[in-house]
Amino acid sequence: MTDTPLAVAIMTDETGWHTSRLKRALRERGALGRCVDLADCRFDTTHGPHGLAIPGYGRGLPDAVIVRGIAGGTFEQVTVRLGILHALRELGVPVYNDARAIERSVDKSMTTFLLHRAGIPTPPTWVSESAPFAQRVLMRECAKGHDVVMKPLFGSQGKGIARVAASSEGCEPLPALKAYGQLAYLQRFVRPVSEPGYDWRVMVIGGKAVTAMRRISEHWVHNVAQGGRCEAAALSEPLATLAERASAALGLDYAGVDLIPCDDNPFGATVIEVNGVAAWRGLQSVTPFDIAGRIVDDLLNRRMALVQGTGNIKEVA
């Protein structure tokens, strides 16, 4: 470390528990964390030699960026916010996770495609703008006795998902696509192996699975935000391997990987979500492992060294 503290921008649209943990971890390692809303950043070709204006950094740039949250908005607004992250990467600033990885993880259809392409177990999935096609999928799946889960393409914390159940009379009708952006994202429901049901959240940092928990719920949705309760879980080798492969398939520096138990593959689990802007408050409540500290260590010791090793150093004012 030099006499000047390393300056790390924490990109977030809201401050709170996660940003406080990251700022504390940075401070303990001699770095300075500052929260910045991407909506307040701008492209400005009259500003400095680089053409970006990042609040709090004058005419310069931060030494590194941790992405903690990107506010929703119009297609144009989100495009520019991601563009800021792309531009920072082009200027040699380590962005953790970078825009390309976030785009892959936020878009559930791309996540599913990349998991499938990498040979990672994930439930059969169909994504289409055609309501007639989606209805045919429902009818075919219900005829086989499978329930189907319909999810928003962009969404988190179990919000907006619906389960279409099979029955002896057939299946329920397809939910109106208007509420889902005129797009059907359908995934075969994985039936619980126990009562109550549960899934796992595994935290992967720097390519290594570091800690895990079980999320248990009487409801079929296990997210903590939807009432699931957290319980410490052993990080078995098959579970760790599957989570690490899922994170690598999306090119993520850190990820929260959600897996659900099943009996149709050697891992005993299938990946249902990969979160590129993962929350970890629930997981931290059941593990002594310092998640924020590990994220900061990985950024400072691996990610920044990786950029510097390529000679791709950021411009300075």
Side-chain angles (χ1 to χ4, degrees):
M1 290 286 182
T2 65
D3 291 337
T4 303
L6 203 68
V8 179
I10 303 170
M11 296 299 188
T12 181
D13 59 314
E14 55 182 42
T15 58
W17 185 89
H18 289 88
T19 54
S20 295
R21 287 291 181 119
L22 288 170
K23 289 172 74 173
R24 184 179 71 182
L26 286 162
R27 188 168 58 250
E28 289 172 349
R29 290 154 178 81
L32 179 63
R34 179 191 297 273
C35 291
V36 178
D37 192 337
L38 277 167
D40 296 329
C41 301
R42 67 181 188 273
F43 288 99
D44 185 344
T45 58
T46 70
H47 190 87
H50 42 70
L52 286 183
I54 310 297
Y57 295 93
R59 303 185 76 84
L61 296 171
D63 295 299
V65 167
I66 298 174
V67 181
R68 181 58 242 148
I70 302 174
T74 65
F75 178 77
E76 290 83 359
Q77 288 173 318
V78 174
T79 296
V80 170
R81 291 166 194 168
L82 289 169
I84 296 289
L85 298 180
H86 280 296
L88 285 164
R89 178 182 178 275
E90 291 296 320
L91 291 166
V93 178
V95 180
Y96 191 104
N97 288 305
D98 73 21
R100 296 176 303 170
I102 290 172
E103 287 166 350
R104 295 181 190 123
S105 64
V106 168
D107 176 356
K108 288 185 174 63
S109 62
M110 181 54 68
T111 297
T112 302
F113 166 75
L114 291 171
L115 293 175
H116 176 72
R117 187 167 181 260
I120 296 167
T122 192
T125 304
W126 303 264
V127 185
S128 175
E129 295 183 37
S130 168
F133 171 80
Q135 187 63 55
R136 289 196 299 271
V137 169
L138 284 182
M139 293 173 66
R140 185 173 68 243
E141 287 294 293
C142 289
K144 296 177 181 178
H146 299 302
D147 292 359
V148 175
V149 177
M150 189 163 176
K151 303 179 181 180
L153 188 69
F154 308 120
S156 62
Q157 300 183 329
K159 297 176 182 177
I161 67 176
R163 178 177 168 186
V164 182
S167 70
S168 57
E169 290 78 29
C171 68
E172 301 171 22
L174 178 75
L177 295 190
K178 184 177 181 180
Y180 294 86
Q182 299 297 340
L183 187 82
Y185 178 100
L186 304 172
Q187 196 166 68
R188 183 179 293 169
F189 177 67
V190 181
R191 295 193 177 278
V193 298
S194 65
E195 293 294 340
Y198 68 92
D199 64 10
W200 291 281
R201 161 62 63 90
V202 178
M203 200 74 182
V204 179
I205 301 174
K208 300 294 182 183
V210 295
T211 189
M213 70 173 174
R214 293 204 310 173
R215 301 183 299 189
I216 305 166
S217 177
E218 300 290 343
H219 193 268
W220 63 274
V221 180
H222 304 123
N223 299 74
V224 175
Q226 303 300 320
R229 69 178 188 273
C230 304
E231 179 182 275
L235 187 54
S236 67
E237 184 175 346
L239 207 61
T241 297
L242 202 53
E244 289 167 2
R245 286 179 57 193
S247 179
L250 274 65
L252 292 162
D253 290 309
Y254 80 106
V257 182
D258 298 339
L259 310 98
I260 198 162
C262 65
D263 55 11
D264 62 357
N265 70 67
F267 295 96
T270 188
V271 177
I272 53 174
E273 297 277 355
V274 184
N275 302 277
V277 188
W280 66 85
R281 189 169 186 171
L283 178 53
Q284 188 65 78
S285 72
V286 295
T287 180
F289 189 91
D290 181 11
I291 296 171
R294 183 62 173 267
I295 287 173
V296 169
D297 284 339
D298 187 55
L299 168 66
L300 302 182
N301 300 329
R302 178 191 64 85
R303 191 66 173 78
M304 293 194 69
L306 185 65
V307 171
Q308 292 167 358
T310 65
N312 187 21
I313 307 300
K314 76 179 183 72
E315 295 184 42
V316 295

